Amino acid sequence: MAPRLRSASKKRPTKDDALAFLKTVKEAFKDEKEKFVKFMEILKNSWKLSIGFSEVVEGVKEILRGHDYLILEFNIFLPKEYQIRNAKEQEAADREEARKFWGSMKAMAASREAQSSAGGGASKKVTLRDATAFLTAVRKAFADEKEKYYEFLEIMTDFKNKRINNYVVHVRVKRLFTGLDDLIHGFNNFLPETTITVSDQFMAMRLVVKIKDRFRHDEDVYISFCDILSMHRRGEKNIDETFNMISELLQDHRDLIEEFKCFLPSRFR
């Protein structure tokens, strides 16, 4: 008979809870001692930080297969994003995440439409199917780093709730997707065309340093350059207005203008 589970209202497990759970697992596998030994090895490797949460979860999930009450109890000790779900729970969670993500995408689309009507270029129509497919791709890419998948969802929620703007979304997502070119390319489909796409942060930094050095005897130009970019990031200037202002500011320095174009949508090049 399965032991009675602790109350779900008890949020933070204690050392006594952990010891009680280990005792329960040991009792459950009294006739399969090798499984309990393997279970303890996984926990010890986790404590030594030689394996990550994903490996712990997969290993424990395999050992506890068929013992649902132990899996539910083990979940109490895991961060939410790593908790083991049955097929029905996973399907429901996936649907809820997709619904929230689509809400963020609709907010992104509305922002893109507003910027497009203000002169920021044509807007691409993105469907619920597109958004759901992309979310699935992100989940698979971070299958072994689930905290990054949830970080992505948090970024999109922050955007939907107007805690961050398009520019901050782009910067944070680009950093999160470093080395994952397919995801970066896919996410660009959801971004307003007016977003300045810094394809290489080092190159962008080099341009800023170059402008600062070029105008070291005329600091007002450098300050104006930074102010214009700040206005764009705050949504006060669309991409065309930003480009026109930068072009006028740097009108006698064609090389700087050409380098600046590298960070703009392709229609500017």
Side-chain angles (χ1 to χ4, degrees), residues 13-202:
T14 66
K15 182 179 179 179
D16 288 341
D17 293 327
L19 291 173
F21 177 65
L22 290 177
K23 185 177 179 180
T24 301
V25 174
K26 187 175 184 179
E27 176 65 23
F29 293 114
K30 62 183 178 182
D31 297 325
E32 299 176 275
K33 292 184 179 180
E34 70 282 356
K35 286 190 174 182
F36 179 72
V37 170
K38 190 174 181 180
F39 175 78
M40 292 302 298
E41 285 178 356
I42 291 174
L43 294 187
K44 288 177 183 177
N45 287 332
S46 173
W47 295 331
K48 291 188 294 185
L49 302 179
S50 57
I51 59 174
F53 264 122
S54 295
E55 293 172 278
V56 172
V57 170
E58 288 306 311
V60 170
K61 184 177 179 181
E62 181 62 30
I63 292 172
L64 301 185
R65 189 182 301 277
H67 298 268
D68 291 348
Y69 69 95
L70 291 179
I71 290 176
L72 288 174
E73 186 77 356
F74 183 64
N75 276 341
I76 297 169
F77 302 96
L78 294 175
K80 181 180 178 181
E81 60 267 29
Y82 285 97
Q83 290 181 358
I84 302 170
R85 298 165 174 157
N86 60 38
K88 187 174 181 180
E89 290 172 335
Q90 186 63 54
E91 184 179 347
D94 289 348
R95 282 199 304 268
E96 178 63 12
E97 287 168 5
R99 185 188 66 78
K100 290 180 178 179
F101 180 66
W102 178 234
S104 300
M105 288 301 95
K106 287 193 289 186
M108 184 75 77
S111 173
R112 187 174 57 243
E113 290 291 346
Q115 292 182 346
S116 176
S117 63
S123 173
K124 295 169 287 186
K125 183 175 178 59
V126 179
T127 67
L128 172 59
R129 180 178 296 179
D130 294 329
T132 303
F134 181 72
L135 186 62
T136 299
V138 175
R139 186 187 300 116
K140 288 181 179 179
F142 293 125
D144 295 325
E145 298 176 282
K146 291 186 179 180
E147 68 278 3
K148 290 188 176 181
Y149 171 68
Y150 283 92
E151 182 181 346
F152 174 70
L153 293 181
E154 182 180 346
I155 291 170
M156 300 313 302
T157 298
D158 284 346
F159 173 80
K160 182 182 177 184
N161 294 329
K162 300 181 179 181
R163 290 191 286 266
I164 58 176
N165 59 21
N166 289 331
Y167 178 81
V168 176
V169 170
H170 180 80
V171 170
R172 289 177 61 184
V173 170
K174 180 173 175 57
R175 186 182 301 118
L176 187 65
F177 290 172
T178 298
L180 301 171
D181 293 344
D182 288 346
L183 290 185
I184 291 175
H185 177 73
F187 190 68
N188 281 341
N189 292 326
F190 301 105
L191 289 175
E193 192 173 342
T194 57
T195 300
I196 296 179
T197 56
V198 181
S199 58
D200 187 323
Q201 293 182 14
F202 174 77

